[in-house]
Amino acid sequence: MHRRTLRGLAPLLLPYCALFCAGMALTLAQSLGLFLPLGTGEATLDHYRTLLQDPAMAQSLGLSLFVALVSAAGSVLGGTVLALALWRMPPGLRRVGVVSKVGLILPHVAVAFLVLLFLGRTGLVSSALFQTGLIASPEEFPNILHTGSGLGMIMAFLIKGVPFALLLIGAVLFGFDVRLVQTARMLGAGPWRTFWSVTLPRLLPAMHSAFIILFLYAFGSFDIPFVLGESHPGMLSIRVYDIFFQRDLDQRPLAMAILTLMFLFAGLFAMLYNRFAAYLDGWRRKL
């Protein structure tokens, strides 16, 4: 059965795997100084050593991890709260939840510009405060974006991430057998105990999946950091763009080395996080 399935999917999988593997192989080769328009043609690890010794690289890595972690955790938390709220609504009012999914249909770059238009110093909020006399000039509006804190990027990722988490977690929640909750309450469990012991364990797989997807997307995203991010320090994706397009060809291996490290980190993070989630699940079952 599995062989038949694989043979059926082969026309779709082979071109994808070939392009992906070829792309990764070329990225790795160029990060080592091979197959470059300019260069000696000899493999070297000098570009990796340069990255590891560059303080700006550490700052970009720290900013990327911070933005990805906060936005993914906040999205999962917000999506879970909204899913629970919709689940507890009367069936006739659950259609209101469609409003919370509007962010899903908007492109990431459109969300980034919306945040810019609303919260920039010349944005709608600043103009409204100026017109109502609450601030004397738009310059008095606090600089929320482009401060190096990543706040603007986090807000944009939350607008996109919360509806995504709501979709994944809500799908599990609305298929949940409410008789389990009713039985727990009949046996004397309080609301918090029922949520911790009955509801949450069934939501955790969807919450973990949403967190991994959103974290890895934010970590390697380009469109939102391009609009709302800073150059110093910039997200890793912006550093790759700057090195690849705005510097000499002999700097290209640095961009390829960053891409290779980002790919290795994504694979390692997904593997370790899955093990961590399995450990947490086993630890919770022992309680």
Side-chain angles (χ1 to χ4, degrees):
M1 183 63 183
H2 293 297
R3 291 183 178 179
R4 288 183 180 179
T5 303
L6 289 176
R7 281 199 293 269
L9 294 175
L12 295 175
L13 292 178
L14 286 178
Y16 173 78
C17 293
L19 289 173
F20 178 77
C21 294
M24 281 305 305
L26 182 60
T27 301
L28 176 62
Q30 291 199 349
S31 72
L32 297 173
L34 303 174
F35 302 108
L36 291 167
L38 300 176
T40 62
E42 297 179 356
T44 177
L45 294 175
D46 289 346
H47 307 104
Y48 288 95
R49 296 192 188 97
T50 302
L51 289 178
L52 294 177
Q53 296 171 357
D54 184 5
M57 178 67 183
Q59 293 178 348
S60 295
L61 176 62
L63 179 64
S64 299
L65 290 174
F66 174 73
V67 171
L69 180 63
V70 174
S71 59
S75 297
V76 172
L77 178 62
T80 303
V81 172
L82 283 178
L84 288 169
L86 289 174
W87 181 54
R88 290 170 179 165
M89 281 184 176
L93 295 178
R94 289 177 182 173
R95 295 178 182 176
V96 179
V98 175
V99 177
S100 61
K101 300 176 183 176
V102 171
L104 279 177
I105 63 176
L106 295 176
H108 283 82
V109 67
V111 173
F113 275 105
L114 282 177
V115 173
L116 186 64
L117 290 175
F118 271 88
L119 298 179
R121 277 194 161 177
T122 56
L124 295 178
V125 176
S126 171
S127 299
L129 294 177
F130 174 67
Q131 294 297 333
T132 55
L134 294 176
I135 57 176
S137 66
E139 286 74 18
E140 291 187 5
F141 186 71
N143 188 18
I144 300 175
L145 310 177
H146 308 105
T147 60
S149 64
L151 181 60
M153 292 184 286
I154 291 173
M155 296 177 69
F157 282 125
L158 286 175
I159 293 174
K160 289 292 295 181
V162 170
F164 178 78
L166 169 62
L167 191 67
L168 287 186
I169 298 167
V172 176
L173 201 53
F174 284 104
F176 182 60
D177 189 351
V178 294
R179 290 175 296 182
L180 295 173
V181 175
Q182 295 169 349
T183 302
R185 298 301 300 271
M186 289 174 62
L187 293 175
W192 174 247
R193 179 67 175 174
T194 302
F195 172 76
W196 178 261
S197 302
V198 180
T199 308
L200 183 60
R202 286 155 182 82
L203 300 182
L204 283 177
M207 293 170 68
H208 289 313
S209 299
F211 179 82
I212 289 178
I213 293 171
L214 293 171
F215 178 89
L216 292 180
Y217 179 81
F219 182 75
S221 176
F222 175 78
D223 39 17
I224 288 178
F226 188 76
V227 177
L228 297 172
E230 302 82 19
S231 299
H232 303 288
M235 295 277 281
L236 289 174
S237 56
I238 300 300
R239 285 187 62 81
V240 172
Y241 175 83
D242 289 341
I243 294 174
F244 191 92
F245 288 104
Q246 298 181 4
R247 296 188 187 179
D248 297 334
L249 285 176
D250 58 358
Q251 297 291 306
R252 182 172 294 183
L254 288 175
M256 295 304 177
I258 297 175
L259 286 176
T260 302
L261 293 176
M262 290 176 69
F263 176 78
L264 293 176
F265 172 81
L268 184 63
F269 175 83
M271 182 183 68
L272 293 178
Y273 186 84
N274 282 326
R275 290 189 177 185
F276 176 69
Y279 170 77
L280 281 183
D281 186 59
W283 174 75
R284 186 195 58 77
R285 290 174 185 273
K286 293 178 182 177
L287 292 178

